[in-house]
Amino acid sequence: DLNHEEFWIVLMAQSNKVVAKELISRGGVNSTIADPKIIFNLALQHNATSIILVHNHPSGSLKPSQQDIHLTKKIVAAGKLLDINVYDHIIITNQEYVSLADEGLM
């Protein structure tokens, strides 16, 4: 029920136990910035071996933007270099969610 976008990450240990969740950015009605350097800095600080990306769409649209897809692929590629798995990127609205992994967009 937010009227602005937020981008979060869920950080997990080798056992897939959640070790932390971190707010990466708070934006406007239509977008927010998610800097991969910040994401992986936090992952390394928490000794995470995997992450899940999560952000909301206040508009109620579940359709991932081209920027969402591009950013996801960029973060997946960077994660491979660091041996940090990116399991999913979930977009949520007030009522529903979509998984980019389930949609084959990662």
Side-chain angles (χ1 to χ4, degrees):
D1 58 350
L2 297 175
N3 62 358
H4 63 277
E5 280 198 20
E6 291 188 355
F7 197 102
W8 289 76
I9 57 172
V10 178
L11 301 127
M12 295 170 291
Q14 185 68 38
S15 63
N16 287 334
K17 177 183 175 192
V18 173
V19 294
K21 61 185 187 309
E22 295 279 352
L23 175 64
I24 300 302
S25 65
R26 209 175 254 130
V29 174
N30 295 325
S31 66
T32 190
I33 304 294
D35 187 336
K37 292 182 290 297
I38 294 171
I39 291 169
F40 287 108
N41 182 29
L42 288 167
L44 292 169
Q45 285 179 33
H46 287 283
N47 293 316
T49 59
S50 55
I51 61 174
I52 295 174
L53 312 171
V54 183
H55 83 278
N56 67 313
H57 279 178
S59 68
S61 171
L62 286 175
K63 183 175 169 57
S65 68
Q66 286 303 316
Q67 293 91 345
D68 294 337
I69 295 166
H70 176 74
L71 175 66
T72 302
K73 290 181 178 182
K74 184 176 178 179
I75 292 172
V76 167
K80 286 180 182 176
L81 292 172
L82 297 169
D83 276 339
I84 298 174
N85 295 314
V86 180
Y87 285 147
D88 206 344
H89 184 167
I90 299 170
I91 298 171
I92 59 174
T93 67
N94 285 343
Q95 305 295 324
E96 302 174 285
Y97 72 93
V98 66
S99 158
L100 273 68
D102 288 351
E103 298 294 317
L105 296 173
M106 294 184 58

